[in-house]
Amino acid sequence: MTASGFCTAYLDECMTGGFRAHAEMRPAAHERRRFGYRRLHALVRREGVLVNHKRVWRLYQKAGLAGRRRRRRRGVAVDREPLAMPTAPNQVWSMDFVMDALSNGRRVKCLTIVDDFTKESVDIVPDHSIPGLYVTRVLDQAAQFRGLPMAIRTDQGPEFTGRALDQWAYRHGVQLKLIAPGKPTQNAYIESFNGRFRDECLNDHWFESLHAARAIISAWRRDYNEHRPHSALDYRTPAEFAAQHRKRRAAPPSTKEIS
């Protein structure tokens, strides 16, 4: 029943109940589907019908006009912890999504993954849809080249809090670090990377197809890792910094000569 139908039913009951009130609802009343009974009561009274709000409530419920209340999605409760700098590669990866669109307006979703220690872009995967199971396949592919991280930091998006990623992390012994809802600064490393990615790649190109987007983004990622100086790494490239770290780890400990 629409709001105008509600008012008609109300007037009929008013007449049979001994009320002699007459009113006409405005023609636009039937379009106000999200109005509650109190607002409908105000509209009825505005038209000159003196009626108790309790009667309006009873008719409102009887007519089935109560709209379903939209529930806010609740986040996962997490413990706050400082954003500490890892001391080695593959200790912590960060993941997030960056949104863009093709020239025809179709949405493109980019999954970005960064090693928090080396600042390397582990992968950037653009597609039209990337559910949780898709994310696990990307991680499996990345692990073939560089191994798995000890932990992965993400926000509380449905792709990261769903069963697929949770079970994958449990099987592989990877800890999932969820940041608090609405606190992107708790995932500052990936947020910084996403800003550079958007400014230097997405905003500079006009993608005519998903295939073209993948090619351009892949080339930018390779340039970012191998040629772009990073200020946080003393203006070395992420690949150069990672190579120097591996070299230091592989070098035997120095020994002093005893005279």
Side-chain angles (χ1 to χ4, degrees), residues 10-22 50 55:
Y10 167 73
L11 290 178
D12 290 340
E13 178 151 328
C14 286
M15 294 296 293
T16 58
F19 292 95
R20 293 294 181 261
H22 299 278
L50 299 179
R55 180 181 289 271

Side-chain angles (χ1 to χ4, degrees), residues 71-191:
R71 294 187 177 181
R72 181 180 179 182
R73 180 178 177 271
R74 293 184 179 272
V76 180
V78 296
D79 295 330
R80 294 184 60 182
E81 60 178 60
L83 185 63
M85 170 64 72
T87 58
N90 284 1
Q91 279 190 353
V92 181
W93 290 359
S94 294
M95 290 197 306
D96 200 6
F97 286 107
V98 179
M99 311 304 296
D100 202 51
L102 301 179
S103 58
N104 60 8
R106 189 172 183 185
R107 188 182 71 165
V108 173
K109 195 173 188 178
C110 300
L111 173 65
T112 56
I113 309 174
V114 169
D115 187 303
D116 288 0
F117 177 70
T118 66
K119 311 303 180 186
E120 290 173 290
S121 172
V122 177
D123 208 348
I124 305 177
V125 181
D127 212 325
H128 295 304
S129 176
I130 305 181
L133 189 60
Y134 194 141
V135 173
T136 64
R137 293 198 297 264
V138 172
L139 292 172
D140 284 333
Q141 185 176 1
Q144 296 178 6
F145 298 96
R146 58 182 298 133
L148 287 171
M150 297 172 61
I152 299 177
R153 183 183 292 107
T154 70
D155 61 20
Q156 296 197 24
E159 301 87 353
F160 301 141
T161 57
R163 181 179 300 177
L165 184 60
D166 182 69
Q167 292 182 345
W168 177 91
Y170 177 78
R171 289 195 306 268
H172 292 86
V174 176
Q175 180 187 4
L176 295 180
K177 294 176 173 285
L178 299 178
I179 67 173
K183 301 291 184 181
T185 55
Q186 295 180 5
N187 205 6
Y189 299 132
I190 194 72
E191 291 292 335

Side-chain angles (χ1 to χ4, degrees), residues 119 196 230-235:
K119 311 303 180 186
R196 296 186 181 97
H230 200 295
S231 59
L233 304 177
D234 197 20
Y235 291 95

Side-chain angles (χ1 to χ4, degrees), residues 187-242:
N187 205 6
Y189 299 132
I190 194 72
E191 291 292 335
S192 177
F193 174 82
N194 289 346
R196 296 186 181 97
F197 173 48
R198 180 172 295 282
D199 184 55
E200 299 176 10
C201 182
L202 299 182
N203 290 350
D204 262 6
H205 295 90
W206 187 254
F207 304 130
E208 295 184 353
S209 66
L210 183 60
H211 176 76
R214 285 171 173 165
I216 293 172
I217 290 173
S218 177
W220 181 87
R221 173 178 166 268
R222 186 164 50 251
D223 181 77
Y224 175 88
N225 283 336
E226 300 176 3
H227 302 289
R228 183 188 184 279
H230 200 295
S231 59
L233 304 177
D234 197 20
Y235 291 95
R236 289 169 289 182
T237 68
E240 181 183 8
F241 177 79

